Amino acid sequence: MSPSYFWGNTTGPGNLFTQIVCSTSGQFVFATEGSNLYISTNFGRSWSAPKPANTLATGLAPSSIGSVACDGTGLNIFVTVNDNGGSQWPLLFSNNAGATFSSVSGFLNTSSSWGSIACDPTGQYICATDNTSKKVLYSKTGPTGSWLQSAAFTNTFSTQLVVSAESTGNVYVYLVDSVGNFAISSDSGATWAPPSNIPSWPGLNFIACNGSGSTVYVASNTSSGSGNVWKSVDYGNSWTNLAASPVTNGAHISCDYTGNSVLLSDFTAGSPNIGYTYFSNDGGATWAWQTTVPTAGSSNDIVLLSSDASHFFSVVLGTALFVYPPPITCFKEGSKILCLVDSQEKYIPVENIRRGTLVKTALNGYKMVDMIGYQVVQQPNSKQRIKEQLYVCSNKNYPEVFEDLVLTGCHCILVDNFSSEEERAATIEVNGKIFITGNKYRLPACTDKRTDVYPVEGDHTVYHFALENDDMRMNYGVYANGLLVETSSKRHLQDWKNMTML
């Protein structure tokens, strides 16, 4: 059975995303919204200020972004721009993750209205759809190589275009036109044809393909409530309806490089709409509803799966971004946890704790460690109080702390009350709602104004642990360097892919 993971919300731009793409690892994420480009370099957890399209290159009038694509590294980015009222419709290219852009010389860009752009993981094979000429423009030699064009299509294009990695000397490209027709190119975009044995799908919405192009998913909507995700494992030559899929309306779909892991969004129209995010780790044979993603829903919902399947993204109502794995809640190496050792209470460095260690809790006596793990995080050079960094709890602001305690931004300090309505609102923004552990409120370190941003940049090892409990979602209050803070739940650690378990 496919699993349901624990997701978290991020500090996103809060604007209506129309597209979102990412690097192979998911570290670099690029999103478009009308005339703006947004960039995240930390797995979507925080975002740059909006970059208006007309500021990406010189000489552009107020513009809108047609589409964005990136290669596997996330360093090479392609952006098509529709110059409103101007005379340029350029393809812009960046080789430094969007820090600077330049126009691609020699690109066929005469008064075009761009549909979408996509590239393979190397950035060598690129395709863009031109709604003015109704042609596909393509290059097999990167952005500075020769650009060619296909024969004209009958209709304009939708925003769906996917490019596979190289396979037997060619790259497979799949696209959808504005009336839902599906076309396949087996020669990198030069020639196109509909798939053979094409299914009678009621309303084709979105497509995804694996790295080789052999496995293709098509999501279509239906009013019958039956599953309408279609799958081909032979480059679109034959198709199977995945009857177990839960699609009813407006589905968006994304898969990893292997084609085995698939994300799917779906919503049921109503007052209000009900939205769902589903995940399959067995090629669509089974699907698991991701229950920690909100059930608001609309046709603006987007899902994205990094090619290595390590990071998932779900855009709810086009604005709220949820990610898996969520922002981490950990202790920096060297933090001391109050434990029971040889019938005596002692503070033990967190890196020395193992399964079976007895930890003192605030309300439930001593509990054995059930799970413990660690990972390396990078401390950015940021003075802003973002979630994705480390914070210091020092004795000057916490009298009970006997030695500086360093926590990740989402790790919660347990308090009797919030100091202000502003602090309460900030907590809701970080956690999604107010949570209580035992009889205390959870106050994230990044919203507690008593903490300071940890000043040491670079890589740091952080640990977290979960204590024994029959309820996988339950956590406890424990003492770290004298301060009462939360532990993780077993559910949270169980779902954490990037942590090395001890």
Side-chain angles (χ1 to χ4, degrees), residues 405-425:
L405 175 66
V406 182
L407 305 172
T408 51
C410 287
H411 202 145
C412 290
I413 300 154
L414 301 183
V415 297
D416 291 323
N417 291 292
F418 295 105
S419 63
S420 65
E421 283 302 313
E422 178 186 8
E423 186 176 76
R424 183 185 184 92

Side-chain angles (χ1 to χ4, degrees), residues 197-203 220 228 230:
N197 304 313
I198 188 169
S200 179
W201 36 53
S220 61
N228 270 278
W230 296 80

